[in-house]
Amino acid sequence: MARALEALASEIVPGGRLVGAEPLAPDGGGGGDTGKGAGYGAPIRLRVVDPGGVEHALVFRTMRPNDFGHDRRADRAAGLLLAFDTFGVVPDHVRALDVGAIAADGRLLSLRDGGEFYLVTSWARGRLYAEDLRRVARDGACTPEDEERAARLAAWLVDLHARKGAALGDAACRSAAVYTRAIRDLLGHGEGIFGVVDAYGPTVPGAPPDRLRAIERRCLEWRFRLRGRADRLARIHGDFHPFNVVVDGDAFTLLDASRGCAGEPADDVTAMAVNFPFFALSRAGSWARGLGPLWRRFFATYLDGSGDGGLYDVLAPFLAWRCLVVACPAFYPSLREEARDRLLALAERALDAPRFDPAMGEELFS
C-alpha cells in the first residue's frame, strides 16, 4: 500500500514526494463525555512535498464495513462515489480530488474519469416463466407439467434457503444486523414499499393516497414485529419472480439476484407466489383449474420441503410489498382497476391477520 500511496501522491501533486502518512482519529478534541468513538471512514493524512519544496496535505479515505448500511462492498463504493460527485457542490467544503478502488495486488485504480457503471453476464437460453403463466391464464387450465414446474421452483427455494446464518460464510452475513437491514430495506429502500408507493401518483384508480398510506402504516408495524427474528436469516435470491426465471426444457436459469442475497425467505416465496393471482386476474375463470392449483402446489411444496413453520408468521409485509409492485401502474400500466383493487385487498387482509393463510388468495376469486 505504501508504494501505491506514493504513486497516487505523485499523480495528484505532479512530481510530488510522499513524506508522511498518519491515520486520523474520528475525534481530535480529547474525548470526555462528548468524545466520538467511531466514524464511518478510515482516513489517512498524507503529507506530500512538490518539486518546489512546498508541502501539501491530502486525506486518503476508505470506508469500514458496519451495520449502518455499509455492510456490502457495493454500499461502500456508492458512498465514496457519491462523495466524489457532490463534495464540489457544497460551498467551503474540502475538494474531492480522486475516487477509485484498491486492486487485489494493492494498486489504486482511479475512477475519477468514469461515468456510469456496467455489468456483463452470461446469456440464459429459453423463455421467461411469465410466458407459461400467461398461457395458463389464457387456457384457463394448467397441465401436470405446469404443476410440476411450480413444485420444482418451490423446491429450488427450499435448497437455496437451507443455508442459514453462520452457514452463509461471510462474517457480515452472520450478523443479526443483516436481517435487520433486510427488514429495513423492505420498507425504506427505493425498490421497497415506500419507493413503490411513491411511484403510484395521486389519482390511480383503486389505489387512492389514503389507502396506500394505510398500507404503509400497517407495514411499519410489522417491522417491529419482525425484530428479534434474525434466526431466520438465510441465503435468498431477492427478486424471485417469473420475469427473472428463464425456462429451458426441464431446467431453468435465474436472473438478477438482488439486495445482497441474504435476508428473509418470505421475500422469495411471496415474490413468486403473488404472480399466480396476478396473472389469474388478467383472465376471468383462470383461477379454479389454472393458476389456483399452481398457487396451492407452490406453497405446499415449499412448506413440506422447508419445514418452515414460522413462514406464515412473518410473510404478510413481504406479500404486501409484492402486491404493491404488481398493482403499480409504473410496472403494469394496463392493469384494470378491479384487479388492482383485489391485489391491494389481498395485501390488506394479510397485514391485518395475525398469521397468513393461503386461503386468502382463494378468497379473491370466490
Side-chain angles (χ1 to χ4, degrees), residues 54-321:
V54 178
E55 183 172 305
H56 303 261
L58 309 175
V59 177
F60 178 82
R61 303 169 183 265
T62 56
M63 293 189 74
R64 297 187 180 94
N66 58 48
D67 296 338
F68 297 96
H70 307 137
D71 44 303
R72 304 169 187 157
R73 183 174 68 132
D75 301 322
R76 300 188 290 278
L80 294 171
L81 285 168
L82 184 61
F84 183 78
D85 289 346
T86 57
F87 276 12
V89 305
V90 179
D92 303 318
H93 199 285
V94 296
R95 292 180 299 144
L97 303 175
D98 194 16
V99 65
I102 302 173
D105 61 2
R107 290 178 299 119
L108 302 182
L109 306 177
S110 177
L111 298 175
R112 64 176 175 264
D113 294 325
E116 294 299 318
F117 286 75
Y118 61 86
L119 176 70
V120 179
T121 75
S122 59
W123 168 256
R125 185 179 64 183
R127 67 185 183 279
L128 295 177
Y129 182 49
E131 295 179 24
D132 286 11
L133 300 187
R134 286 197 180 104
R135 171 182 48 77
V136 172
R138 182 182 64 247
D139 295 347
C142 63
T143 66
E145 290 78 14
D146 291 319
E147 289 200 53
E148 182 58 29
R149 183 167 294 117
R152 286 204 305 272
L153 289 169
W156 186 88
L157 283 185
V158 169
D159 291 342
L160 181 73
H161 297 164
R163 288 185 61 180
K164 306 282 187 184
L168 293 174
D170 188 331
C173 291
R174 295 197 293 268
S175 169
V178 176
Y179 188 83
T180 300
R181 174 172 182 170
I183 304 304
R184 184 171 70 241
D185 285 351
L186 164 68
L187 285 118
H189 194 281
E191 297 177 0
I193 290 167
F194 292 169
V196 172
V197 167
D198 285 344
Y200 270 75
T203 59
V204 176
D210 286 348
R211 186 179 196 181
L212 298 175
R213 190 179 304 120
I215 292 174
E216 278 193 359
R217 288 197 202 98
R218 291 177 174 95
C219 292
L220 187 58
E221 289 299 320
W222 273 91
R223 184 167 103 90
F224 287 89
R225 290 173 64 174
L226 295 179
R227 286 197 173 183
R229 303 300 301 267
D231 59 300
R232 295 187 53 80
L233 178 67
R235 178 178 58 177
I236 65 172
H237 177 278
D239 206 18
F240 188 72
H241 60 67
F243 295 90
N244 279 341
V245 177
V246 179
V247 178
D248 185 23
D250 291 334
F252 53 83
T253 303
L254 276 295
L255 311 176
D256 295 346
S258 299
R259 285 174 290 280
C261 296
E264 166 56 55
D267 184 325
D268 287 338
V269 173
T270 58
M272 181 60 68
V274 75
N275 286 276
F276 300 128
F278 171 65
F279 278 87
L281 287 167
S282 71
R283 292 280 184 143
S286 64
W287 179 260
R289 296 188 305 113
L291 281 306
L294 302 187
W295 165 273
R296 292 187 287 275
R297 183 74 179 272
F298 182 78
F299 273 115
T301 303
Y302 184 84
L303 266 293
D304 288 347
S306 67
D308 187 357
L311 177 72
Y312 290 164
D313 295 323
V314 302
L315 181 147
F318 290 93
L319 180 61
W321 174 32

Side-chain angles (χ1 to χ4, degrees), residues 214 218 222 225 316 345-355 360:
R218 291 177 174 95
W222 273 91
R225 290 173 64 174
L346 175 60
E348 292 161 340
R349 192 173 295 122
L351 290 169
D352 289 342
R355 194 169 192 267
M360 294 175 184

Side-chain angles (χ1 to χ4, degrees), residues 328-342:
C328 182
F331 300 113
Y332 298 97
S334 299
L335 188 68
R336 294 174 296 109
E337 178 180 358
E338 179 187 3
R340 180 177 295 112
D341 174 68
R342 290 193 189 186

